[in-house]
Amino acid sequence: MNGRGDLRDFLMSRRAKLTPEDVNVSSYGRRARRVPGLRRDEVARLAGVSVDYYARFERGQVPGVSDSILDAVARALRLTDVERDHLGDLVRALGPARSRSPRPKAAAIRPSVQRLLDAMDGTVAAFVCNASMDVVAHNTLGAALFGTWRTAPGQAPNQARFVFLEPAARELFAEWDDSADGIVAILRAHAGRDPHDATLAALIGELSMRSDTFRVLWARHDVGIRYSGVKHFHHPKIGDLTLNTEVIPLPADPGLTLITHCAPAGSPSDDGLRLLASTIGLQTAQ
C-alpha cells in the first residue's frame, strides 16, 4: 500500500504477463529483450501515447489522467474489468488529498442481516466479512464449517489469517492454492480502493511477516473477486463436501459482503451439511 510504488509495480506485473506476440506488435530492431513481457515503448504504442508520457504515467508522475487514457492503457495491457477498476483506484489514490474522501463503512451488522443469516441456518453456511476479511457475523452452521477459527482475545475471526496462518486450513480447503490466490486478489482490490485503511494495512503487514506464501502472492499484484463458484472442502468431522459459493456485496452496508456455502438439494454434500448441522443441534428444513 505505497501509492506510486503500487501503481508502478501493478503496471510492470501486467506488462510482464504479455509478449509482443500476444498483442500482435513487432519489437523495434533486433536488440535483445532485457525485461520479461512487454516493454514500456510497446505499451505506449498500443495505448497511443508517447513513450515519455507512458513512462511518467507508470511512475505516477502524470496528474489528472483522463478515463480515456486509463481505458487505452487497460486495452493495451489486456486488463480485465476488475483490473481496469483497480488501475483507476491506484491513479485516484495519487490525487490531491482534498479530493479524496474516506469510503463510508458499515459500523455494525444490522439486526435484519443477522436474522437473514439465522434463517439460512441448518442448510446454508453463511457469514459476513468486511474489507479486511474479518468475519463480523455468521450463522451457527457457518462457524461449524470453519470449525477451527481461532482468534486472539478481542479479535474477530479473519478469513485471510485462517487461510495463511492456520495449518488446519490446508486440510479444510481441498484446493488450498486456489483459495489462497483468491484471498490475496480480494485484498489487493480492497487496498486499491482504500489505500489509507489502517486496519487493512496492518493485516497485510502481519501476513507478510508471518507467511512466505502470502508475501510471494502479494508481490504478484493480482486483483479480482469471484462472485460465484464451487469449493471443495474436506471437513474433519463430515468428510468431503462440494459446495456452491455465492459472494454478495451488501449495498446498504458499505464494505460488507455476504458469503454463503450450500449444496444442491438431495445431493451427498447437502446431506453432509445437514449431518454437520445435526451434530451441533440445529434443526434442518425437510
PDB file of all heavy atoms in Angstrom, residues 1 132 191 194-208 214 218:
ATOM      1  N   MET A   1       0.856  -1.182   0.000  1.00  0.00           N
ATOM      2  CA  MET A   1       0.000   0.000   0.000  1.00  0.00           C
ATOM      3  C   MET A   1       0.890   1.228   0.000  1.00  0.00           C
ATOM      4  O   MET A   1       1.085   1.899   0.997  1.00  0.00           O
ATOM      5  CB  MET A   1      -0.940  -0.056   1.198  1.00  0.00           C
ATOM      6  CG  MET A   1      -1.850  -1.286   1.191  1.00  0.00           C
ATOM      7  SD  MET A   1      -2.864  -1.489   2.654  1.00  0.00           S
ATOM      8  CE  MET A   1      -4.044  -0.158   2.428  1.00  0.00           C
ATOM      9  N   SER A 132     -11.421  -6.096   5.297  1.00  0.00           N
ATOM     10  CA  SER A 132     -10.210  -6.755   5.792  1.00  0.00           C
ATOM     11  C   SER A 132     -10.407  -8.247   5.990  1.00  0.00           C
ATOM     12  O   SER A 132      -9.529  -8.923   6.509  1.00  0.00           O
ATOM     13  CB  SER A 132      -9.770  -6.118   7.116  1.00  0.00           C
ATOM     14  OG  SER A 132      -9.460  -4.747   6.936  1.00  0.00           O
ATOM     15  N   ALA A 191      -7.316  -2.941  -1.166  1.00  0.00           N
ATOM     16  CA  ALA A 191      -6.230  -1.999  -0.877  1.00  0.00           C
ATOM     17  C   ALA A 191      -6.180  -0.880  -1.908  1.00  0.00           C
ATOM     18  O   ALA A 191      -5.877   0.270  -1.583  1.00  0.00           O
ATOM     19  CB  ALA A 191      -4.896  -2.740  -0.832  1.00  0.00           C
ATOM     20  N   ASP A 194      -9.089   1.562  -1.096  1.00  0.00           N
ATOM     21  CA  ASP A 194      -8.943   2.334   0.147  1.00  0.00           C
ATOM     22  C   ASP A 194      -7.518   2.182   0.669  1.00  0.00           C
ATOM     23  O   ASP A 194      -7.262   1.473   1.643  1.00  0.00           O
ATOM     24  CB  ASP A 194      -9.952   1.850   1.188  1.00  0.00           C
ATOM     25  CG  ASP A 194     -10.078   2.811   2.366  1.00  0.00           C
ATOM     26  OD1 ASP A 194      -9.300   3.789   2.419  1.00  0.00           O
ATOM     27  OD2 ASP A 194     -10.940   2.590   3.228  1.00  0.00           O
ATOM     28  N   PRO A 195      -6.545   2.838   0.022  1.00  0.00           N
ATOM     29  CA  PRO A 195      -5.135   2.667   0.398  1.00  0.00           C
ATOM     30  C   PRO A 195      -4.789   3.225   1.769  1.00  0.00           C
ATOM     31  O   PRO A 195      -3.698   2.986   2.276  1.00  0.00           O
ATOM     32  CB  PRO A 195      -4.384   3.423  -0.710  1.00  0.00           C
ATOM     33  CG  PRO A 195      -5.362   4.443  -1.187  1.00  0.00           C
ATOM     34  CD  PRO A 195      -6.707   3.791  -1.088  1.00  0.00           C
ATOM     35  N   HIS A 196      -5.717   3.974   2.380  1.00  0.00           N
ATOM     36  CA  HIS A 196      -5.444   4.566   3.688  1.00  0.00           C
ATOM     37  C   HIS A 196      -6.128   3.799   4.820  1.00  0.00           C
ATOM     38  O   HIS A 196      -6.210   4.296   5.940  1.00  0.00           O
ATOM     39  CB  HIS A 196      -5.891   6.030   3.693  1.00  0.00           C
ATOM     40  CG  HIS A 196      -5.321   6.819   2.555  1.00  0.00           C
ATOM     41  ND1 HIS A 196      -3.988   7.165   2.474  1.00  0.00           N
ATOM     42  CD2 HIS A 196      -5.891   7.291   1.408  1.00  0.00           C
ATOM     43  CE1 HIS A 196      -3.769   7.821   1.350  1.00  0.00           C
ATOM     44  NE2 HIS A 196      -4.913   7.912   0.687  1.00  0.00           N
ATOM     45  N   ASP A 197      -6.607   2.614   4.532  1.00  0.00           N
ATOM     46  CA  ASP A 197      -7.258   1.782   5.540  1.00  0.00           C
ATOM     47  C   ASP A 197      -6.179   1.198   6.454  1.00  0.00           C
ATOM     48  O   ASP A 197      -5.462   0.262   6.080  1.00  0.00           O
ATOM     49  CB  ASP A 197      -8.055   0.667   4.864  1.00  0.00           C
ATOM     50  CG  ASP A 197      -8.877  -0.156   5.847  1.00  0.00           C
ATOM     51  OD1 ASP A 197      -8.464  -0.291   7.016  1.00  0.00           O
ATOM     52  OD2 ASP A 197      -9.938  -0.673   5.451  1.00  0.00           O
ATOM     53  N   ALA A 198      -6.076   1.726   7.670  1.00  0.00           N
ATOM     54  CA  ALA A 198      -5.015   1.313   8.585  1.00  0.00           C
ATOM     55  C   ALA A 198      -5.179  -0.141   9.023  1.00  0.00           C
ATOM     56  O   ALA A 198      -4.183  -0.863   9.199  1.00  0.00           O
ATOM     57  CB  ALA A 198      -4.997   2.230   9.802  1.00  0.00           C
ATOM     58  N   THR A 199      -6.416  -0.581   9.195  1.00  0.00           N
ATOM     59  CA  THR A 199      -6.651  -1.965   9.613  1.00  0.00           C
ATOM     60  C   THR A 199      -6.197  -2.941   8.539  1.00  0.00           C
ATOM     61  O   THR A 199      -5.546  -3.955   8.822  1.00  0.00           O
ATOM     62  CB  THR A 199      -8.147  -2.183   9.920  1.00  0.00           C
ATOM     63  OG1 THR A 199      -8.545  -1.290  10.961  1.00  0.00           O
ATOM     64  CG2 THR A 199      -8.406  -3.617  10.358  1.00  0.00           C
ATOM     65  N   LEU A 200      -6.535  -2.621   7.299  1.00  0.00           N
ATOM     66  CA  LEU A 200      -6.117  -3.479   6.194  1.00  0.00           C
ATOM     67  C   LEU A 200      -4.595  -3.469   6.049  1.00  0.00           C
ATOM     68  O   LEU A 200      -3.977  -4.515   5.822  1.00  0.00           O
ATOM     69  CB  LEU A 200      -6.781  -3.004   4.901  1.00  0.00           C
ATOM     70  CG  LEU A 200      -6.483  -3.807   3.634  1.00  0.00           C
ATOM     71  CD1 LEU A 200      -6.864  -5.266   3.812  1.00  0.00           C
ATOM     72  CD2 LEU A 200      -7.229  -3.209   2.443  1.00  0.00           C
ATOM     73  N   ALA A 201      -3.978  -2.316   6.194  1.00  0.00           N
ATOM     74  CA  ALA A 201      -2.524  -2.226   6.094  1.00  0.00           C
ATOM     75  C   ALA A 201      -1.843  -3.065   7.181  1.00  0.00           C
ATOM     76  O   ALA A 201      -0.843  -3.742   6.927  1.00  0.00           O
ATOM     77  CB  ALA A 201      -2.075  -0.763   6.202  1.00  0.00           C
ATOM     78  N   ALA A 202      -2.397  -3.037   8.385  1.00  0.00           N
ATOM     79  CA  ALA A 202      -1.834  -3.828   9.473  1.00  0.00           C
ATOM     80  C   ALA A 202      -1.953  -5.320   9.190  1.00  0.00           C
ATOM     81  O   ALA A 202      -1.031  -6.101   9.464  1.00  0.00           O
ATOM     82  CB  ALA A 202      -2.527  -3.471  10.792  1.00  0.00           C
ATOM     83  N   LEU A 203      -3.107  -5.732   8.631  1.00  0.00           N
ATOM     84  CA  LEU A 203      -3.296  -7.139   8.295  1.00  0.00           C
ATOM     85  C   LEU A 203      -2.292  -7.582   7.237  1.00  0.00           C
ATOM     86  O   LEU A 203      -1.672  -8.653   7.357  1.00  0.00           O
ATOM     87  CB  LEU A 203      -4.723  -7.366   7.792  1.00  0.00           C
ATOM     88  CG  LEU A 203      -5.030  -8.769   7.255  1.00  0.00           C
ATOM     89  CD1 LEU A 203      -4.960  -9.802   8.374  1.00  0.00           C
ATOM     90  CD2 LEU A 203      -6.393  -8.798   6.576  1.00  0.00           C
ATOM     91  N   ILE A 204      -2.120  -6.769   6.197  1.00  0.00           N
ATOM     92  CA  ILE A 204      -1.176  -7.111   5.134  1.00  0.00           C
ATOM     93  C   ILE A 204       0.238  -7.199   5.678  1.00  0.00           C
ATOM     94  O   ILE A 204       1.010  -8.103   5.334  1.00  0.00           O
ATOM     95  CB  ILE A 204      -1.272  -6.082   3.993  1.00  0.00           C
ATOM     96  CG1 ILE A 204      -2.634  -6.222   3.293  1.00  0.00           C
ATOM     97  CG2 ILE A 204      -0.139  -6.267   2.982  1.00  0.00           C
ATOM     98  CD1 ILE A 204      -2.973  -5.072   2.383  1.00  0.00           C
ATOM     99  N   GLY A 205       0.584  -6.272   6.568  1.00  0.00           N
ATOM    100  CA  GLY A 205       1.904  -6.315   7.188  1.00  0.00           C
ATOM    101  C   GLY A 205       2.103  -7.575   8.017  1.00  0.00           C
ATOM    102  O   GLY A 205       3.161  -8.218   7.962  1.00  0.00           O
ATOM    103  N   GLU A 206       1.083  -7.940   8.791  1.00  0.00           N
ATOM    104  CA  GLU A 206       1.165  -9.148   9.619  1.00  0.00           C
ATOM    105  C   GLU A 206       1.328 -10.402   8.760  1.00  0.00           C
ATOM    106  O   GLU A 206       2.196 -11.254   9.025  1.00  0.00           O
ATOM    107  CB  GLU A 206      -0.090  -9.279  10.482  1.00  0.00           C
ATOM    108  CG  GLU A 206      -0.138 -10.561  11.299  1.00  0.00           C
ATOM    109  CD  GLU A 206      -1.478 -10.783  11.980  1.00  0.00           C
ATOM    110  OE1 GLU A 206      -2.348  -9.879  11.929  1.00  0.00           O
ATOM    111  OE2 GLU A 206      -1.657 -11.869  12.568  1.00  0.00           O
ATOM    112  N   LEU A 207       0.499 -10.529   7.724  1.00  0.00           N
ATOM    113  CA  LEU A 207       0.570 -11.710   6.871  1.00  0.00           C
ATOM    114  C   LEU A 207       1.897 -11.771   6.112  1.00  0.00           C
ATOM    115  O   LEU A 207       2.453 -12.852   5.901  1.00  0.00           O
ATOM    116  CB  LEU A 207      -0.599 -11.725   5.896  1.00  0.00           C
ATOM    117  CG  LEU A 207      -1.986 -11.877   6.528  1.00  0.00           C
ATOM    118  CD1 LEU A 207      -3.076 -11.766   5.458  1.00  0.00           C
ATOM    119  CD2 LEU A 207      -2.118 -13.196   7.276  1.00  0.00           C
ATOM    120  N   SER A 208       2.402 -10.621   5.705  1.00  0.00           N
ATOM    121  CA  SER A 208       3.688 -10.586   5.005  1.00  0.00           C
ATOM    122  C   SER A 208       4.826 -11.040   5.904  1.00  0.00           C
ATOM    123  O   SER A 208       5.779 -11.689   5.447  1.00  0.00           O
ATOM    124  CB  SER A 208       3.960  -9.179   4.473  1.00  0.00           C
ATOM    125  OG  SER A 208       3.003  -8.786   3.514  1.00  0.00           O
ATOM    126  N   PHE A 214       2.099 -15.882   1.434  1.00  0.00           N
ATOM    127  CA  PHE A 214       1.363 -14.634   1.247  1.00  0.00           C
ATOM    128  C   PHE A 214       2.269 -13.583   0.625  1.00  0.00           C
ATOM    129  O   PHE A 214       1.852 -12.864  -0.299  1.00  0.00           O
ATOM    130  CB  PHE A 214       0.810 -14.118   2.575  1.00  0.00           C
ATOM    131  CG  PHE A 214       0.083 -12.810   2.433  1.00  0.00           C
ATOM    132  CD1 PHE A 214      -1.262 -12.775   2.100  1.00  0.00           C
ATOM    133  CD2 PHE A 214       0.748 -11.598   2.611  1.00  0.00           C
ATOM    134  CE1 PHE A 214      -1.929 -11.568   1.945  1.00  0.00           C
ATOM    135  CE2 PHE A 214       0.096 -10.385   2.463  1.00  0.00           C
ATOM    136  CZ  PHE A 214      -1.253 -10.379   2.130  1.00  0.00           C
ATOM    137  N   TRP A 218       1.355 -11.710  -2.766  1.00  0.00           N
ATOM    138  CA  TRP A 218       1.093 -10.269  -2.717  1.00  0.00           C
ATOM    139  C   TRP A 218       1.940  -9.530  -3.745  1.00  0.00           C
ATOM    140  O   TRP A 218       1.489  -8.561  -4.371  1.00  0.00           O
ATOM    141  CB  TRP A 218       1.372  -9.750  -1.308  1.00  0.00           C
ATOM    142  CG  TRP A 218       0.997  -8.320  -1.099  1.00  0.00           C
ATOM    143  CD1 TRP A 218       1.841  -7.256  -0.970  1.00  0.00           C
ATOM    144  CD2 TRP A 218      -0.328  -7.780  -0.980  1.00  0.00           C
ATOM    145  NE1 TRP A 218       1.128  -6.091  -0.791  1.00  0.00           N
ATOM    146  CE2 TRP A 218      -0.200  -6.393  -0.788  1.00  0.00           C
ATOM    147  CE3 TRP A 218      -1.598  -8.346  -1.019  1.00  0.00           C
ATOM    148  CZ2 TRP A 218      -1.302  -5.551  -0.641  1.00  0.00           C
ATOM    149  CZ3 TRP A 218      -2.708  -7.521  -0.873  1.00  0.00           C
ATOM    150  CH2 TRP A 218      -2.543  -6.142  -0.686  1.00  0.00           C
TER     151      TRP A 218
END
